[in-house]
Amino acid sequence: MELIIKETYDQLSLKAAEIVASVINNFVATPEHPKCTLGLPTGSTPLGMYKALIKMNQQGKVSFKNVITFNMDEYVGLDVNHPESYHSFMFNNFFNHIDIDKSNVHILNGNAPDLEKECNDYEKAIKEVGGIDLFVGGIGNDGHIAFNEPGSSLNSRTRCVKLTHDTIIANSRFFDFDLSKVPVRAVTVGIGTVTDAQRVMILVNGHAKARALHHAVEGGVSQMWPVTALQLHNHSTIIASEDACDELKVGTFRYYLDLNS
């Protein structure tokens, strides 16, 4: 596992965007895998990365014309046009501002009549394009990835899940802090879906994520801290802000700072 420590959120975001652009620009197409394929997250943490990628796209430093994307998750029962749907989030904050072919955008349908089939078809679609080259994600305070809450199997696949009360409370900030407005279920890629990618990059910002980062880097692999699955991946990267490193041992912190220099 690679840990890159950045002093500020803006520096973290720029580094993440540079890695995404590098993966796209260095992609070599094959008949089995004709287009670079990204797994993408929602949430507040990746917003800076998306803004940086939009700027790079406008400057001609990276193009998304030959990129396919698969988003991590979506709420169940929320209309796609709802301002807090992940469909709306992605198009408003990213897809509408870059040169991606919208037919190459894949986001789970939380209103599908058969959610199990929707999830199985999502897994098949990923395989049909040759797999994911880079899966980008964030983590929750409890170490969850996408909507894979603590206790999720580290081999889990795309599925429908019930959200924990803590996650509902955390997400209520997007719904006027009204718990009754927050969806209680979601469709999400599994931890195994994420770690099947050739490369995984997790963004960790702020002191609130410090305990999760501690477990990710210094703890043992456990389904109770889903992010620890990255320890088993042969090309995983965590980009963290300095304040997210508050619970790392001093020696660990200095070790990774030295590697970054």
Side-chain angles (χ1 to χ4, degrees):
M1 177 190 293
E2 177 186 27
L3 173 61
I4 300 172
I5 301 170
K6 292 296 180 180
E7 184 177 356
T8 68
Y9 173 70
D10 287 344
Q11 292 173 357
L12 177 160
S13 299
L14 180 58
K15 181 63 178 179
E18 290 172 346
I19 290 174
V20 172
S22 176
V23 168
I24 294 171
N25 291 335
N26 292 318
F27 175 76
V28 178
T30 66
E32 297 79 20
H33 192 44
K35 294 183 179 180
C36 182
T37 306
L38 304 176
L40 296 176
T42 55
S44 56
T45 301
L47 279 174
M49 177 190 73
Y50 290 141
K51 289 178 181 178
L53 284 169
I54 291 168
K55 183 176 181 180
M56 294 170 74
N57 180 236
Q58 294 170 343
Q59 294 172 336
K61 296 180 179 179
V62 65
S63 173
F64 294 85
K65 289 181 178 178
N66 292 308
V67 172
I68 296 173
T69 67
F70 287 87
N71 257 75
M72 278 189 154
D73 42 27
E74 179 59 286
Y75 289 116
V76 168
L78 204 63
D79 188 273
V80 294
N81 295 315
H82 189 286
E84 296 304 333
S85 78
Y86 291 162
H87 280 74
S88 293
F89 178 98
M90 290 305 301
F91 280 93
N92 292 338
N93 292 295
F94 192 44
F95 295 140
N96 285 339
H97 309 285
I98 58 173
D99 61 347
I100 195 167
D101 182 342
K102 301 304 190 293
S103 67
N104 288 331
V105 170
H106 299 80
I107 304 177
L108 282 158
N109 179 8
N111 294 293
D114 186 337
L115 291 175
E116 183 176 356
K117 181 178 184 302
E118 171 70 11
C119 293
N120 290 338
D121 288 348
Y122 208 67
E123 290 278 343
K124 291 176 183 176
I126 292 173
K127 291 180 181 179
E128 287 171 357
V129 300
I132 291 176
D133 297 288
L134 171 66
F135 222 128
V136 184
I139 59 171
N141 296 1
D142 57 4
H144 72 253
I145 301 176
F147 277 125
N148 294 285
E149 306 281 12
S152 298
S153 167
L154 300 185
N155 291 318
S156 56
R157 313 307 302 188
T158 304
R159 66 204 187 283
C160 182
V161 297
K162 182 179 179 181
L163 304 185
T164 66
H165 188 61
D166 285 347
T167 295
I168 291 171
I169 291 174
N171 290 352
S172 68
R173 68 188 188 277
F174 302 115
F175 295 86
D176 303 319
F177 292 95
D178 185 344
L179 298 185
S180 67
K181 294 181 181 179
V182 185
V184 297
R185 292 194 301 158
V187 278
T188 179
V189 296
I191 299 171
T193 314
V194 174
T195 56
D196 273 354
Q198 291 185 28
R199 183 172 183 177
V200 181
M201 179 172 70
I202 299 297
L203 313 181
V204 187
N205 180 58
H207 175 76
K209 307 294 177 69
R211 181 161 298 180
L213 182 64
H214 155 67
H215 281 277
V217 176
E218 298 175 324
V221 177
S222 169
Q223 77 277 8
M224 297 311 296
W225 290 91
V227 68
T228 61
L230 268 67
Q231 295 179 24
L232 304 176
H233 197 278
N234 60 8
H235 199 176
S236 63
T237 300
I238 295 177
I239 308 179
S241 60
E242 281 195 5
D243 52 356
C245 300
D246 285 351
E247 293 201 20
L248 294 181
K249 295 176 182 176
V250 172
T252 302
F253 180 76
R254 288 178 175 171
Y255 169 76
Y256 282 107
L257 272 184
D258 181 57
L259 289 181
N260 297 167
S261 61

